[in-house]
């Protein structure tokens, strides 16, 4: 099974200063998007349960390699940075399109996992847009992956009103919530 985990490097929001209504990002510490840590953990946990490979994938500037190194330190097997120095951090359509092309180039991907939201843009739209570009099913706000067998996945997802058990054929794009797991600490 080939699992791609989408990761995004974001500024520490509390350190961002607005100047003339634009964020000043120079000198601001960059971290992995917190929800992507849950996505990475789930990808690694699926690899441990069902076998396969985890590839961390990011779009952005050369400096985004930090979030990819973080992903590899907790169990991702490979990391790919699609360098796009012109990428606007919150341009969902552009980012999801680039991710879709990278996933197609990787080939034979069964599951794409993303955090439910990037805390710098807060749109909740990258995973659904990515599923649209790939023409794959999307399972959003997943809190538990129950089973994968016979090229089908069974998950529990949360909504504002209830929890739902859903079964979908692979390949699929999943966005995960923080209730799905507890991210592991990096190994030395």
């Amino acid at each position: 099974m080939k699992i791609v985990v989408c990761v995004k490097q974001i500024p520490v929001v509390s350190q961002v200063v607005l100047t003339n209504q634009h964020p000043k990002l120079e000198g601001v510490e960059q971290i992995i998007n917190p929800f992507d840590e849950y996505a990475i953990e789930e990808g690694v946990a699926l690899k441990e349960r069902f076998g396969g490979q985890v590839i961390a994938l990011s779009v952005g500037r050369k400096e985004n390699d930090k979030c990819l190194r973080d992903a590899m330190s907790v169990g991702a097997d490979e990391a790919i940075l699609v360098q796009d120095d012109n990428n606007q951090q919150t341009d969902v359509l552009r980012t999801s399109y680039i991710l879709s092309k990278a996933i197609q180039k990787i080939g034979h991907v069964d599951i794409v996992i993303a955090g439910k939201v990037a805390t710098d843009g807060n749109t909740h739209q990258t995973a659904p847009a990515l599923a649209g570009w790939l023409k794959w099913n999307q399972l959003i706000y997943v809190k538990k992956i129950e089973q994968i067998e016979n090229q089908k996945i069974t998950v529990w997802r949360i909504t504002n009103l209830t929890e739902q058990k859903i079964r979908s054929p692979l390949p699929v794009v999943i966005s995960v919530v923080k209730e799905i797991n507890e991210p592991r600490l990096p190994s030395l």
Side-chain angles (χ1 to χ4, degrees):
M1 178 170 17
K2 196 179 289 184
I3 303 162
V4 170
V5 179
C6 299
V7 295
K8 184 177 184 184
Q9 190 162 296
I10 64 167
V12 174
V13 178
S14 63
Q15 295 178 6
V16 175
V17 176
L18 285 179
T19 58
N20 297 329
Q21 301 301 317
H22 297 286
K24 181 180 177 205
L25 299 176
E26 294 82 27
V28 175
E29 180 184 358
Q30 300 288 310
I31 60 170
I32 192 166
N33 176 52
F35 283 98
D36 295 346
E37 292 179 352
Y38 298 99
I40 295 165
E41 175 61 32
E42 197 59 25
V44 172
L46 288 176
K47 176 181 79 168
E48 292 170 351
R49 281 174 64 193
F50 302 106
Q53 175 187 23
V54 176
I55 302 168
L57 174 62
S58 187
V59 175
R61 294 182 167 85
K62 182 181 176 186
E63 297 79 24
N64 282 26
D65 65 345
K66 180 185 180 309
C67 71
L68 294 171
R69 284 193 313 270
D70 291 346
M72 291 188 72
S73 73
V74 293
D77 301 299
E78 188 177 336
I80 299 172
L81 172 63
V82 179
Q83 192 169 334
D84 181 10
D85 293 332
N86 297 317
N87 188 29
Q88 297 294 341
Q89 289 291 322
T90 57
D91 187 343
V92 172
L93 286 179
R94 179 183 174 99
T95 300
S96 60
Y97 179 75
I98 293 169
L99 288 169
S100 74
K101 291 302 181 185
I103 290 164
Q104 290 170 345
K105 188 168 184 172
I106 291 167
H108 307 291
V109 174
D110 299 293
I111 301 172
V112 174
I113 305 174
K116 76 168 187 170
V117 65
T119 57
D120 64 339
N122 208 30
T123 65
H124 298 253
Q125 295 300 310
T126 302
L130 178 55
W133 290 118
L134 292 170
K135 295 181 175 41
W136 292 3
N137 287 342
Q138 61 175 305
L139 301 171
I140 58 172
Y141 307 131
V142 172
K143 70 173 248 176
K144 180 180 180 184
I145 297 176
E146 188 172 278
Q147 183 62 12
I148 300 173
E149 62 183 357
N150 300 324
Q151 288 297 299
K152 291 192 167 99
I153 187 168
T154 305
V155 304
W156 284 91
R157 67 180 291 265
I158 58 172
T159 68
N160 289 340
L161 303 174
T162 187
E163 294 183 5
Q164 299 171 328
K165 185 176 181 178
I166 299 174
R167 189 172 174 149
S168 171
L170 300 177
V172 68
V173 176
I174 296 172
S175 72
V176 297
V177 296
K178 65 182 181 178
E179 292 82 4
I180 197 160
N181 60 44
E182 184 66 37
R184 66 188 76 190
L185 295 174
S187 67
L188 296 176

